[in-house]
Amino acid sequence: MKPYSLLILLSMFIFTNQTTYSQGMKTQFSGTSIGHPKLNGSTIYNAETQTYILKGAGKNFWFAEDEGWFEFKKIKGDFILSANLQFIGEGENAHRKIGVMIRSGFDTDAAYVDCAVHGDGLTGMQFRSKKGEDTDEIKADISAPEFVQIERKNNTYTVRVSKDKQPLVTVAEKSFEFGESVLAGLFICSHDENVIEAAKFWNVRLEIPASNGVDGYQQQSPSRLEVIDIESGNRKIIYETSTHIEAPNWSRDGKFLLYNSDGRLYKFDLETKRSSVLNTGVATSNNNDHGISFDGKTIAVSNHVSENGNSHSIIYTLPIDGGEASRITPNGPSYWHGWSPDGKWLSYCAERGGNYDVYKIPSQGGDEIRLTNAEGLDDGPEYTPDGKYIYFNSTRTGMMQIWRMKPDGSEQEQVTKDDFQNWFAHPSPDGKWLIMISYLPVVPAGSHPHNQRVMLRLMPVDGGEIKTVAFLYGGQGTINVPSWSPDSKKVAFVSYTY
């Protein structure tokens, strides 16, 4: 929350109620045949897993005549449509195809652009620039991707794909004049009018990027509280609200999540799927740097106070069930990020003398101890469950990368060394994994803004290949603080759509 502390104060009284939308994505789409297929298609939506099974026949989506099944939503303006996808069964024709599509209309020869994945793995951007023309294609270098994405920005359409949990690769970017309103959705075609093929789509997301200048505080942003299963990669929306929410913590008993919104903390019951305000005493201007002690009894929060002519963040602690907050850090700004496993220390990022560094302080209060002194931003310090290390992120190499050190600040070593801006590495409770949020390299190293295309990435704690487990629209507020489930199988996070 470092660069954005004053925005909380400006908006904390504007929105006070959490409004729940209907859970899931099914209400966004409707199914229809394109062209006149001999056999009817269908869509089965599983509300529990939030997955789609599309079945369809049809000769092809090609030349000047399309035929198949389309699950769509009519939409205006800019958006990003993404999904994981796979065929079901061996199939009858290698040219059967599935993917995400944007059409100018329902006509069989309507202008369109898609990301199509064929039964034999061939993948590409396929498009009909104008109604009645023949389809054209730009082939991808990647075969049979597991994740596809198409983005519309003004009249520019970009197709991206990912395979083996690697970062997205751009297949093509082209401009089309499809009109203000288009049809966007999922499609299937068997390439054989006498055969119905089937495919599974999951992690389907239709995201509306924010307008320039929207920050999520002065202008609220609809938010999605999500949970991802780390092994399967399946994401599930468990709560949607018109209010901007941030930074879920998972309770140590696994029964609820804590998140912040408009300066307050909210307790989200995982069984009832309902939120309620947590009493945080005098700490009523909290940002997204908060978390629960390893014994599950205490919460640390970062609360904005006005004192001595300044408004800055101060760390407080309070009982897990709510109550009066006790001030811990005498100086600000101080932003909490970690508890030591024995509960004796708090780690945090603080600005002192114009530089942001990592500090720790006794959890009952006392003298703070500076642990880093590199130029630039050192942030996000979090203890491992065994207490042997503190992981943090630092710009000292020119990029934001993940580092770790001993709890006394010694043996500082770089953990990630790639071309992404990596923030907030959270060790899993079983000590095996790190999950982090990664920005594209065009984002400045010292900035973790809202409203970006970002990745959640998973890395073995002892080093190894980093895998992308989620592509989403988010950033600041998505995963600032520890959010692993107690069994290390799931992670909670927030995504945004406008």
Side-chain angles (χ1 to χ4, degrees):
M1 192 69 194
K2 274 54 75 179
Y4 309 97
S5 57
L6 290 180
L7 296 176
I8 281 283
L9 298 177
L10 292 172
S11 63
M12 59 179 290
F13 298 112
I14 299 176
F15 295 84
T16 57
N17 295 321
Q18 301 294 304
T19 303
T20 304
Y21 288 161
S22 60
Q23 180 180 325
M25 298 285 293
K26 178 56 181 174
T27 54
Q28 294 197 10
F29 295 102
S30 302
T32 188
S33 292
I34 297 294
H36 303 284
K38 183 177 179 180
L39 302 175
N40 290 329
S42 63
T43 298
I44 300 173
Y45 178 71
N46 186 317
E48 174 60 27
T49 61
Q50 298 178 7
T51 59
Y52 295 81
I53 302 296
L54 266 64
K55 296 181 179 181
K59 296 177 182 178
N60 205 349
F61 283 85
W62 197 250
F63 294 123
E65 184 179 1
D66 299 334
E67 202 173 77
W69 182 255
F70 187 37
E71 187 77 9
F72 72 95
K73 175 182 173 64
K74 191 172 185 180
I75 188 170
K76 296 180 180 180
D78 297 345
F79 59 88
I80 304 169
L81 175 61
S82 308
N84 284 95
L85 73 176
Q86 67 178 24
F87 288 101
I88 297 174
E90 294 298 323
E92 297 292 331
N93 194 305
H95 295 290
R96 61 181 175 155
K97 63 179 74 170
I98 56 176
V100 291
M101 176 183 289
I102 300 171
R103 297 183 68 87
S104 63
F106 295 107
D107 292 344
T108 188
D109 63 347
Y112 78 92
V113 60
D114 69 22
C115 179
V117 180
H118 293 69
D120 61 2
L122 175 66
T123 300
M125 172 193 271
Q126 298 186 339
F127 55 92
R128 182 181 296 120
S129 298
K130 295 181 180 179
K131 179 178 170 60
E133 293 184 349
D134 282 348
T135 300
D136 204 347
E137 179 180 40
I138 300 174
K139 294 181 180 179
D141 294 330
I142 294 174
S143 175
E146 297 100 11
F147 183 87
V148 296
Q149 182 179 92
I150 188 166
E151 179 177 9
R152 165 171 156 160
K153 188 172 183 179
N154 298 320
N155 288 323
T156 299
Y157 296 78
T158 305
V159 166
R160 308 180 184 98
V161 298
S162 170
K163 185 174 183 177
D164 298 329
K165 297 184 178 180
Q166 296 301 303
L168 287 167
V169 173
T170 298
V171 175
E173 183 175 281
K174 288 185 67 66
S175 294
F176 303 103
E177 297 289 342
F178 289 167
E180 181 182 10
S181 180
V182 293
L183 309 172
L186 320 172
F187 76 92
I188 185 169
C189 172
S190 68
H191 206 273
D192 186 330
E193 63 178 354
N194 297 309
V195 173
I196 290 181
E197 296 282 4
K200 176 184 175 182
F201 294 78
W202 68 104
N203 296 337
V204 178
R205 297 293 183 272
L206 184 60
E207 297 159 315
I208 312 301
S211 302
N212 291 334
V214 172
D215 53 41
Y217 297 131
Q218 292 168 296
Q219 298 182 50
Q220 293 287 292
S221 53
S223 307
R224 295 167 173 166
L225 182 57
E226 299 196 44
V227 169
I228 183 169
D229 183 286
I230 293 301
E231 183 176 356
S232 69
N234 190 64
R235 294 163 54 182
K236 187 173 181 180
I237 298 171
I238 60 173
Y239 181 62
E240 295 183 270
T241 174
S242 59
T243 303
H244 185 83
I245 69 174
E246 297 180 317
N249 305 126
W250 210 305
S251 67
R252 300 294 178 177
D253 61 9
K255 294 182 178 180
F256 63 89
L257 302 174
L258 289 178
Y259 62 81
N260 64 284
S261 181
D262 299 315
R264 307 304 298 269
L265 284 190
Y266 286 80
K267 183 177 180 179
F268 180 81
D269 188 291
L270 287 166
E271 182 177 357
T272 65
K273 302 296 191 294
R274 298 187 65 85
S275 288
S276 58
V277 178
L278 185 72
N279 174 23
T280 53
V282 298
T284 57
S285 184
N286 300 293
N287 60 50
N288 53 34
D289 296 325
H290 47 78
I292 303 169
S293 60
F294 277 79
D295 64 9
K297 296 180 179 180
T298 311
I299 304 170
V301 299
S302 303
N303 176 60
H304 292 274
V305 301
S306 296
E307 56 188 9
N308 304 320
N310 295 314
S311 174
H312 53 206
S313 176
I314 297 294
I315 297 173
Y316 290 74
T317 60
L318 60 135
I320 188 67
D321 293 324
E324 193 50 62
S326 301
R327 180 168 179 162
I328 303 300
T329 53
N331 301 316
S334 300
Y335 302 89
W336 176 90
H337 277 279
W339 283 90
S340 64
D342 60 11
K344 294 181 178 180
W345 296 93
L346 303 178
S347 57
Y348 56 102
C349 173
E351 186 270 318
R352 306 287 185 263
N355 201 58
Y356 282 94
D357 282 292
V358 172
Y359 291 78
K360 69 177 183 179
I361 194 170
S363 58
Q364 301 301 313
D367 295 330
E368 65 182 15
I369 300 173
R370 185 175 181 175
L371 299 180
T372 67
N373 55 16
E375 288 298 317
L377 174 60
D378 292 334
D379 198 357
E382 188 173 328
Y383 283 84
T384 55
D386 59 12
K388 292 182 178 180
Y389 292 100
I390 293 175
Y391 279 85
F392 65 102
N393 43 282
S394 175
T395 61
R396 63 186 69 183
T397 63
M399 295 283 289
M400 182 61 84
Q401 297 294 325
I402 305 302
W403 289 65
R404 73 177 184 180
M405 61 184 166
K406 293 294 183 65
D408 62 1
S410 63
E411 300 183 29
Q412 297 183 19
E413 59 179 331
Q414 189 173 350
V415 174
T416 61
K417 301 177 182 180
D418 57 26
D419 294 328
F420 297 101
Q421 310 286 12
N422 300 312
W423 288 76
F424 305 135
H426 306 305
S428 58
D430 62 10
K432 294 181 180 180
W433 301 98
L434 297 174
I435 195 160
M436 68 193 77
I437 185 168
S438 298
Y439 288 84
L440 298 176
V442 295
V443 175
S447 175
H448 57 306
H450 297 89
N451 308 326
Q452 301 288 319
R453 289 193 303 109
V454 294
M455 300 177 284
L456 297 185
R457 299 202 294 162
L458 191 69
M459 178 181 182
V461 75
D462 293 327
E465 186 178 6
I466 303 175
K467 296 287 191 178
T468 303
V469 295
F471 300 96
L472 61 134
Y473 189 73
Q476 168 73 291
T478 288
I479 190 171
N480 294 56
V481 290
S483 56
W484 283 93
S485 62
D487 60 8
S488 298
K489 293 182 178 180
K490 298 178 181 179
V491 171
F493 64 95
V494 178
S495 62
Y496 301 101
T497 183
Y498 285 76

